[in-house]
Amino acid sequence: MKKKLLGMLLVGAMVFSLAGCGGEAAQETAAPAEEAAEEAPAGEEEKAEQEAPAAEADGEAPYVIWVNPLVGSAVFTSADNGITAASEEFGFQLKIIGPSVLDDTQMFEALQSAIVEQPDLIVTTPYNFSAIQSLYTDAQDKNIPIINISSDSEEAGRVSFIGTDNTAYGKLAADYVNEKMGGEANVLIMMANLDTSNQLEQKTAFEEKCAAEYPGIKVVLTDEDNGDSAVALQKFEDNLKAHPEIDTIFCLESIGGVAAANAVEELGMGDEITILAIDDNEDTLQYIRDGKIWGTMAQNFYKMGYTAGEFAVKHLNGEAVDSVVDSGTVLITKENADSYTDEFYK
């Protein structure tokens, strides 16, 4: 196999800088195999060899790079955990790299760096596919397969997509808002960026479902916060002041719910605004328990990462894998905030 960094195993969270221009440097998480070997209990190496998948028959474990689009964020840390668990179970070597801010240039550089290493397979999230489309072509030319999670690209350029069914997500959100608000709501939608592909699909599905079935649910405006808490807080405050008719906030990026709740609290509008967040960040869950956020729609990022790792080994072994896998969502409110994980992360 094409493994360029033999002996790289993900065993911890050592962070190195990747050279790049503009903004914060990309992050790289890995540790040398010899360090891992020193920490491994006696007999574990022999056990691992016995349990190794067929892809290791040539003596080299597959080498997979996960290009994380937002290193350090809670949801993508869940994906890190999932793919790390898969690497341990299915016996492939894993490296995690990526920017610590949502930035098209840094994402391009991180994916380009991964391709230069010529791993056996790349897992990534093309949240703005148009900005990195040329690199998918480059990977194909170098016979490096790509698996997408969370956001998708053109089907011909990747092996599989594991993530939320964005159309189903948007429709479900419309159902939840309609039920919660009794059929009447004036909605502010907050996105990370207006062209973030998966969020745009969710927004479109939400609006189409409301137009078709819930005419009393109106979208007053849609805004973007670049996934930045400070920007989001200011945007929510400004929009709520400018549009006093807004009574519902629908967030399509993970920091939005908490920022919305903080803005509502600062404006003294706690009883006037219903917030539907996205993802199950611990801060969001705590705000739900405290009654500051009504609910959140959690995406199963752990499953995305784990399934991507499982599919990586299967594909490299010549096995067929599904082109699309819906990783699922769940509505979390105060009633199930402490119990939803019993089923969600099985």
Side-chain angles (χ1 to χ4, degrees):
M1 299 216 171
K2 298 188 295 291
K3 181 179 54 178
K4 289 294 182 184
L5 293 182
L6 296 177
M8 297 296 287
L9 292 171
L10 184 68
V11 297
M14 296 177 62
V15 180
F16 305 88
S17 294
L18 278 177
C21 60
E24 300 177 39
Q27 305 296 310
E28 177 179 327
T29 304
E34 45 268 41
E35 292 180 11
E38 292 175 2
E39 298 172 0
E44 286 299 309
E45 183 176 351
E46 180 180 353
K47 179 181 178 183
E49 290 176 357
Q50 292 172 349
E51 295 177 350
E56 296 184 59
D58 60 359
E60 296 183 2
Y63 177 39
V64 175
I65 298 180
W66 156 221
V67 184
N68 183 328
L70 191 57
V71 171
S73 70
V75 292
F76 284 108
T77 296
S78 291
D80 291 348
N81 294 338
I83 197 169
T84 299
S87 73
E88 294 167 355
E89 179 172 347
F90 299 106
F92 62 87
Q93 299 183 72
L94 175 66
K95 183 177 183 181
I96 300 175
I97 64 174
S100 57
V101 294
L102 282 176
D103 181 87
D104 288 347
T105 299
Q106 291 187 45
M107 185 62 181
F108 184 96
E109 292 170 349
L111 184 56
Q112 186 177 52
S113 174
I115 293 171
V116 167
E117 290 194 36
Q118 291 193 304
D120 294 301
L121 185 141
I122 291 172
V123 177
T124 193
T125 299
Y127 65 88
N128 183 5
F129 177 61
S130 62
I132 56 176
Q133 185 172 2
S134 63
L135 294 179
Y136 274 64
T137 302
D138 190 22
Q140 282 185 303
D141 291 342
K142 291 179 170 59
N143 296 314
I144 304 171
I146 294 179
I147 292 176
N148 294 332
I149 70 169
S150 183
S151 297
D152 203 7
S153 61
E154 297 173 352
E155 185 174 12
R158 50 80 171 160
V159 172
S160 181
F161 165 64
I162 303 117
T164 304
D165 181 327
N166 295 311
T167 297
Y169 184 99
K171 290 179 178 179
L172 275 174
D175 293 339
Y176 295 147
V177 169
N178 180 70
E179 182 177 359
K180 175 64 178 176
M181 301 302 293
E184 300 288 335
N186 293 306
V187 183
L188 162 61
I189 299 177
M190 186 63 75
M191 302 172 62
N193 300 107
L194 296 179
D195 59 355
T196 301
S197 59
N198 61 324
Q199 296 176 23
L200 188 58
E201 290 174 17
Q202 293 163 357
K203 170 184 176 290
T204 300
F206 177 88
E207 292 174 328
E208 289 178 351
K209 182 69 178 285
C210 290
E213 299 184 26
Y214 309 132
I217 309 296
K218 307 290 187 183
V219 175
V220 177
L221 75 141
T222 301
D223 208 343
E224 59 184 348
D225 60 23
N226 201 37
D228 186 300
S229 296
V231 173
L233 178 64
Q234 190 62 56
K235 288 286 188 80
F236 282 123
E237 289 184 358
D238 292 345
N239 287 327
L240 289 172
K241 289 176 182 177
H243 298 274
E245 72 273 23
I246 291 172
D247 55 22
T248 304
I249 294 173
F250 176 34
C251 300
L252 290 175
E253 50 79 29
S254 61
I255 58 92
V258 170
N262 288 336
V264 166
E265 186 172 21
E266 288 189 17
L267 294 173
M269 302 174 67
D271 296 330
E272 303 171 35
I273 308 294
T274 296
I275 301 170
L276 177 59
I278 187 171
D279 298 326
D280 54 342
N281 303 338
E282 185 51 45
D283 287 348
T284 300
L285 294 176
Q286 190 57 54
Y287 272 46
I288 289 172
R289 296 183 189 105
D290 295 341
K292 297 179 180 180
I293 294 175
W294 165 63
T296 189
M297 292 177 67
Q299 305 175 89
N300 199 332
F301 277 82
Y302 183 92
K303 182 177 179 180
M304 293 181 204
Y306 180 88
T307 305
E310 178 185 7
F311 278 17
V313 171
K314 287 183 175 180
H315 177 74
L316 293 171
N317 280 337
E319 300 178 43
V321 297
D322 293 333
S323 177
V324 177
V325 175
D326 181 6
S327 52
T329 60
V330 62
L331 175 65
I332 304 170
T333 63
K334 187 178 291 188
E335 286 69 28
N336 66 338
D338 294 317
S339 62
Y340 77 98
T341 56
D342 294 344
E343 292 296 326
F344 201 47
Y345 290 129
K346 272 191 173 181

